[in-house]
Amino acid sequence: VTIKFCRVVFNTKKGIVIKKAAQVIIEDTTCSDNGDHGMRLEADGSLVSITRCIMQRNKDGMHVHPKSNNPQLTITLLNCLLSDNREEGIQNHAKNPIVIVNHCTVVNNGSHGFDFSNGTGWVKNTIMAFNGGYGLMGGGSGSGDYNLLYGNTSGSTFNFTAGSNDVNSDPEFYGGGDYHINYISLAIDAGTGDIFDDLEGATRCGPAVDIGCYEPPIQTFHVRKRVNDANHGLSPAQTG
């Protein structure tokens, strides 16, 4: 099953439901404002790849519930935004899949950011912030590193091994529902690996990759002719 460049919105029940497939690829797709889960994965094949997708204002952003126990089932989320869902951002509900979350932003969900009651969760380069439960809620096995964990109501993690390179700081989103990080965010250059584009296809630049699904906008600074530390140099009027 391959789904690309779709908008699945305002359904009374679930957005996308995959019941049977040996391989699932979902790319550049938005599932939002659905009455139930944005995506529900019941397939128990060997590979599920979800890339550059947005899941907002659903019940769960993504709900994983394979029908049988396939230890080879690996689900990868890359460069995805899961925000403002009524319950979990990601919920791994049954059986024992491996769920890999990389360069995602999971924020402002009503319950946990990532709840894996079963299986294995691996999380890196991901922002888990301002969720109503834990950022990372374990139950199976799993660990992570190079994540930003902040402002989750119940705490950053439960039954989950956090990493020594995690960042515990406000991600400095633009605000108003815009989850791009500001240029002062400590998520910038704090990640690891070789993923060189973001959710919008922008090139990741700098000495290291940024944490989260978005690369921050490029800032132009204007050189000051006179020294005045009260001016920040973000516009020509602020150079003197």
Side-chain angles (χ1 to χ4, degrees):
V1 174
T2 300
I3 300 171
K4 294 184 178 182
F5 303 107
C6 292
R7 287 179 54 83
V8 184
V9 299
F10 296 110
N11 294 286
T12 56
K13 295 187 178 180
K14 301 171 183 67
I16 294 174
V17 181
I18 306 293
K19 290 186 175 289
K20 291 185 178 181
Q23 178 173 292
V24 178
I25 297 173
I26 305 175
E27 296 179 353
D28 302 291
T29 290
T30 295
C31 293
S32 67
D33 301 287
N34 296 293
D36 208 315
H37 309 311
M39 294 186 189
R40 181 181 171 95
L41 303 176
E42 299 179 3
D44 50 10
S46 59
L47 174 66
V48 177
S49 175
I50 301 172
T51 306
R52 296 182 303 276
C53 291
I54 297 174
M55 289 160 266
Q56 295 181 300
R57 299 181 298 277
N58 306 288
K59 184 180 177 182
D60 290 344
M62 188 182 79
H63 188 91
V64 180
H65 197 141
K67 294 301 184 181
S68 63
N69 188 6
N70 178 2
Q72 304 303 314
L73 173 57
T74 301
I75 301 165
T76 301
L77 286 88
L78 174 63
N79 282 337
C80 292
L81 172 65
L82 301 101
S83 76
D84 302 284
N85 296 290
R86 297 184 298 280
E87 296 186 7
E88 280 84 8
I90 308 165
Q91 185 179 46
N92 183 18
H93 184 69
K95 307 304 179 184
N96 292 291
I98 300 168
V99 181
I100 300 170
V101 181
N102 189 13
H103 280 298
C104 292
T105 297
V106 185
V107 59
N108 203 33
N109 297 290
S111 187
H112 310 304
F114 180 15
D115 177 2
F116 55 102
S117 303
N118 302 85
T120 302
W122 301 104
V123 185
K124 68 177 181 178
N125 300 317
T126 289
I127 297 174
M128 295 277 180
F130 306 116
N131 296 293
Y134 288 98
L136 294 164
M137 172 69 176
S141 61
S143 64
D145 205 357
Y146 294 93
N147 300 303
L148 187 150
L149 307 168
Y150 183 81
N152 299 289
T153 301
S154 299
S156 294
T157 65
F158 180 82
N159 199 21
F160 184 93
T161 303
S164 61
N165 297 291
D166 288 342
V167 175
N168 300 109
S169 177
D170 191 322
E172 302 290 352
F173 295 126
Y174 266 53
D178 184 345
Y179 296 117
H180 289 81
I181 54 175
N182 207 310
Y183 69 98
I184 62 172
S185 175
L186 293 183
I188 294 174
D189 297 336
T192 185
D194 56 359
I195 302 300
F196 294 118
D197 62 355
D198 72 356
L199 171 58
E200 297 173 317
T203 300
R204 294 185 180 274
C205 56
V209 295
D210 299 341
I211 296 173
C213 65
Y214 291 122
E215 186 78 5
I218 295 174
Q219 295 288 325
T220 300
F221 292 88
H222 300 265
V223 177
R224 296 180 296 186
K225 294 182 179 179
R226 297 181 301 278
V227 176
N228 183 348
D229 288 336
N231 293 339
H232 48 59
L234 291 175
S235 69
Q238 288 288 315
T239 60

